[in-house]
Amino acid sequence: MSWDFALLLFIALLATGLVWLLDIAVLRGRRRARAEAAAQACRNNAAGLDPDALQVECDQAYERAGRPSWWVEYCVSFFPVILFVFVLRSFVVEPFRIPSGSMLPTLENGDLILVNKYEYGIRLPVIDRKIIELGSPKRGDVVVFRYPVDPSVDYIKRVVGEPGDVIEYRGKVLSVNGTPVPRERDGDYYEPDRAVYVGQYREQLGEVSHRILLNVNAPQDLMPITRFPDFRACTYLPDGVRCTVPPGHYFMMGDNRDNSLDSRYWGFVPDRNIVGRAFFIWMNFGSPSRIGGFE
């Protein structure tokens, strides 16, 4: 969806930009010559008019003859705006809307967030090819990416495993490279999507301390929904799953551990699918107090 919008924006930028260049190189000169000819004709055919009236009439003739076509005027007016939006969302920040509760309690359904587009490297828009390396996703980052099963759909999850990591989620305990990720109980959370109270925990993932939702007593059935690339890097067990993250890929999980369709079910996210790091809630129309940063 975001890729489709980027393509449409690029086409609009290209079309308006070509008209803008054509106007500078050719059309303005033609309009000026046409306007000057109209003004001269006005002066030649204005016998009997007093000088002030003649000036007004010839100025009007000049303006009418020099006015650009409506499509040229619109393209020239919109080109700077489209260029600004294109550069901003392609290389700096891009807005996204949270569509579900899979990242509760960190992000709620309806949160409007900003995503940093340059932190993990500069990518060419539309073709999405990285040309400058600036960094890579770190364990604990909240990341927007194109869903590997359907790249036209944008997903948002938290990075749990980096390339080479061994990730285990067994008995609802998350382990990275053989070490359980520390967590402690932090009360209960009312989950509006399911109208239930769920256990809330504070988890320390890498350098990031964040909250997760987890019902340790609820049944768990982790099975792949598709035979994803590098399927053999994962072993599905009666009590969970163990995966070794391939080079150039990441293992993603939602903070709402019992209600998130993530890497446990559809595999790894290749680096080329990464859109950027989510870092700021700029609006939630149902809860304006949520504006601000998050971990």
Side-chain angles (χ1 to χ4, degrees), residues 251-267:
F251 194 94
M252 308 287 190
M253 290 179 64
D255 290 346
N256 192 350
R257 294 288 162 79
D258 297 320
N259 194 24
S260 173
L261 188 65
D262 49 39
S263 288
R264 294 172 293 177
Y265 300 92
W266 43 252

Side-chain angles (χ1 to χ4, degrees), residues 12-158:
L13 177 68
L14 190 62
T16 56
L18 288 174
V19 173
W20 180 78
L21 288 173
L22 180 65
D23 187 57
I24 291 176
V26 179
L27 300 182
R28 285 184 188 178
R30 290 181 178 177
R31 289 199 304 272
R32 189 179 302 112
R34 189 167 65 241
E36 290 173 353
Q40 185 60 49
C42 171
R43 288 190 289 270
N44 294 338
N45 300 321
L49 290 178
D50 67 84
D52 290 339
L54 175 62
Q55 184 63 45
V56 170
E57 184 171 330
C58 292
D59 285 347
Q60 291 176 346
Y62 183 95
E63 183 181 349
R64 286 193 300 271
R67 189 174 299 156
S69 303
W70 66 267
W71 58 274
V72 174
E73 188 172 9
Y74 273 99
C75 288
V76 170
S77 299
F78 281 114
F79 172 67
V81 177
I82 296 174
L83 177 62
F84 175 78
V85 172
F86 182 79
V87 171
L88 182 69
R89 77 183 303 276
S90 296
F91 301 109
V92 185
V93 293
E94 184 174 355
F96 282 88
R97 182 186 182 279
I98 301 302
S100 72
S102 70
M103 282 297 292
L104 287 170
T106 306
L107 296 170
E108 294 183 1
N109 189 348
D111 282 346
L112 302 174
I113 64 170
L114 295 178
V115 175
N116 184 311
K117 296 294 292 288
Y118 60 85
E119 185 170 333
Y120 300 146
I122 304 298
R123 297 175 185 266
L124 292 175
V126 182
I127 63 173
D128 217 26
R129 183 183 298 277
K130 187 183 291 187
I131 56 174
I132 301 176
E133 290 281 353
L134 295 178
S136 58
K138 298 292 186 292
R139 206 173 294 120
D141 288 356
V142 177
V143 171
V144 171
F145 55 92
R146 295 190 306 280
Y147 182 33
V149 178
D150 181 1
S152 67
V153 178
D154 292 318
Y155 265 35
I156 182 167
K157 305 292 179 188
R158 192 178 297 274

Side-chain angles (χ1 to χ4, degrees), residues 12 63 65-66 115 132 134 172 188 202 215 233 246 271 274 280:
E63 183 181 349
V115 175
I132 301 176
L134 295 178
K172 301 209 172 180
D188 291 314
R202 173 66 61 174
N215 185 346
D271 182 75
I274 300 293
F280 191 81

Side-chain angles (χ1 to χ4, degrees), residues 221-253:
D221 184 20
L222 293 181
M223 295 296 292
I225 63 170
T226 180
R227 192 173 180 83
F228 49 85
D230 297 299
F231 179 83
R232 296 182 183 277
C234 291
T235 302
Y236 285 87
L237 306 162
D239 62 343
V241 63
R242 178 173 57 246
C243 294
T244 301
V245 185
H249 290 70
Y250 298 89
F251 194 94
M252 308 287 190
M253 290 179 64

